[in-house]
């Protein structure tokens, strides 16, 4: 696939079909993501994949805990409790407004999709050692993006979401993740439900000149 087409496919899929993703495809996607650079070649990431009955069990327990109003307690919690600067805050507010307008009566479908972890048939959980420098979080983000682009290149759709890691004890229960690893990111993989209009939403990007400054002369 041409790279511009891979980029064009890159957006959050909020509702997947039940179509199975072959283990061979999942392995190839992760193998390609391993090309991601990291500080001093530390490659701090570890990958845990839930599919089949395991993915169903994780989705079920997530739904039960959410309906019981259990507070999220993700392991990157301290990083989420920050005061956002004005610029990203404005971007988040713009997305919220445009998403609300886009949904117009489909909010329940949107909420149900998240409640059921988007029906993702494959969930990839990424960890780093608890004893890691902050730079490893940057490396983990780079690995995640490479993984999603590799998945898109192979005809899959992706959904990186906070919802996947809200209840880390559920993930550890089914995937036997060691306690000395921090569960950082969850990404859903699968094939998009083409009948679900909530999959049609694409967030807008800030104009290039608002974020780019090029200086040539002293």
């Amino acid at each position: 696939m041409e790279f511009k087409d891979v980029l064009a496919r890159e957006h959050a899929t909020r509702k997947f079909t039940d179509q199975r993703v072959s283990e061979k495809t999942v392995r190839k996607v992760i193998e390609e993501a391993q090309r991601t650079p990291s500080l001093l070649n530390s490659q701090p990431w570890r990958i845990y994949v839930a599919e089949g009955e395991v993915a169903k069990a994780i989705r079920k327990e997530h739904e039960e805990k959410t309906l019981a109003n259990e507070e999220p307690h993700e392991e990157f919690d301290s990083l989420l409790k920050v005061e956002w600067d004005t610029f990203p805050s404005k971007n988040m507010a713009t997305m919220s407004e445009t998403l609300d307008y886009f949904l117009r009566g489909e909010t329940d479908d949107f909420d149900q999709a998240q409640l059921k972890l988007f029906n993702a048939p494959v969930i990839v959980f990424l960890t780093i050692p608890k004893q890691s420098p902050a730079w490893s979080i940057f490396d983990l983000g780079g690995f995640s993006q490479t993984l999603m682009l590799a998945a898109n290149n192979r005809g899959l759709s992706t959904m990186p979401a906070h919802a996947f890691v809200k209840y880390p004890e559920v993930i550890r229960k089914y995937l036997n993740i060691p306690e000395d690893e921090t569960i950082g990111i969850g990404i859903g993989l699968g094939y998009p439900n083409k009948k679900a209009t909530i999959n049609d939403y694409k967030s807008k990007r800030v104009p290039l000149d608002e974020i780019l400054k090029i200086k040539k002369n002293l």
Side-chain angles (χ1 to χ4, degrees), residues 9-27:
R9 285 179 54 86
E10 175 63 17
H11 77 285
T13 294
R14 294 178 170 85
K15 201 167 187 179
F16 294 93
T17 67
D18 293 327
Q19 183 178 347
R20 179 180 172 274
V21 179
S22 75
E23 183 175 321
K24 180 180 178 181
T25 298
V26 173
R27 292 181 67 90

Side-chain angles (χ1 to χ4, degrees), residues 48-89:
Y48 299 85
V49 177
E51 54 185 28
E53 294 303 315
V54 174
K56 288 179 183 178
I58 290 174
R59 294 199 306 261
K60 181 176 182 292
E61 289 206 32
H62 169 88
E63 181 175 358
E64 290 171 350
K65 286 178 175 289
T66 302
L67 291 175
N69 295 316
E70 183 172 330
E71 284 294 314
H73 41 274
E74 59 281 335
E75 295 181 352
F76 272 5
D77 181 57
S78 61
L79 295 177
L80 295 175
K81 293 180 178 178
V82 297
E83 293 296 326
W84 292 93
D85 186 72
T86 303
F87 181 62
S89 294

Side-chain angles (χ1 to χ4, degrees), residues 102-163:
F102 173 82
L103 290 174
R104 292 198 305 276
E106 296 188 66
T107 305
D108 287 345
D109 195 24
F110 183 88
D111 292 341
Q112 279 294 310
Q114 180 160 286
L115 178 66
K116 297 181 182 299
L117 291 180
F118 318 101
N119 195 45
V122 176
I123 310 172
V124 180
F125 295 100
L126 305 179
T127 75
I128 56 173
K130 287 184 177 177
Q131 189 172 345
S132 295
W135 200 271
S136 290
I137 299 171
F138 172 85
D139 293 338
L140 192 66
F143 184 91
S144 302
Q145 182 62 60
T146 307
L147 186 151
M148 289 188 288
L149 291 175
N152 279 313
N153 187 50
R154 292 183 173 273
L156 297 173
S157 291
T158 61
M159 180 64 192
H162 160 251

